[in-house]
Amino acid sequence: MEIEVLTDKKLELEIVLHGEKHALCNVLRKILMEDDDVQYAVYGIDHPLIGEPTMTIKTKQKKSAKNSLLKAAKVLKDETEEFKALVEQI
């Protein structure tokens, strides 16, 4: 995966997630929307076969959009490690 930054402002971050589809974007959007500092997190894929997701994150009251994405990535990593440990117990 490669991340291309389209917009990098304090309260707004727009990125393209090259090589990804709905799975990662959906879970990141869900985690971001659970963050009280995030006003909205959305993504879109222009073409269902060849399109790549563009995600936009907008934060509230001088909170950094990039920091919110980093926090969401950590939550996703922790949840993935927890799930992996549960699967290994089977």
Side-chain angles (χ1 to χ4, degrees):
M1 172 180 35
E2 180 184 333
I3 298 176
E4 177 185 351
V5 177
L6 300 178
T7 304
D8 187 5
K9 298 178 183 174
K10 174 78 175 166
L11 301 178
E12 184 176 347
L13 182 65
E14 185 177 14
I15 57 176
V16 177
L17 299 161
H18 296 288
E20 291 300 324
K21 297 293 179 200
H22 291 283
L24 178 64
C25 295
N26 270 325
V27 73
L28 272 178
R29 185 198 56 77
K30 179 187 177 296
I31 292 169
L32 283 161
M33 289 306 298
E34 291 171 352
D35 184 342
D36 290 336
D37 294 334
V38 174
Q39 185 172 348
Y40 64 82
V42 297
Y43 80 92
I45 300 176
D46 289 339
H47 190 280
L49 298 177
I50 60 172
E52 295 186 303
T54 300
M55 178 171 274
T56 304
I57 303 161
K58 174 82 172 172
T59 53
K60 303 174 189 173
Q61 303 175 14
K62 301 180 183 176
K63 301 293 182 175
S64 168
K66 191 180 290 186
N67 286 345
S68 291
L69 180 59
L70 286 169
K71 192 163 74 170
K74 175 154 180 22
V75 169
L76 177 58
K77 179 181 181 235
D78 293 345
E79 288 180 0
T80 302
E81 288 173 355
E82 181 181 344
F83 180 70
K84 179 183 175 190
L86 290 171
V87 170
E88 288 172 345
Q89 292 175 8
I90 296 175

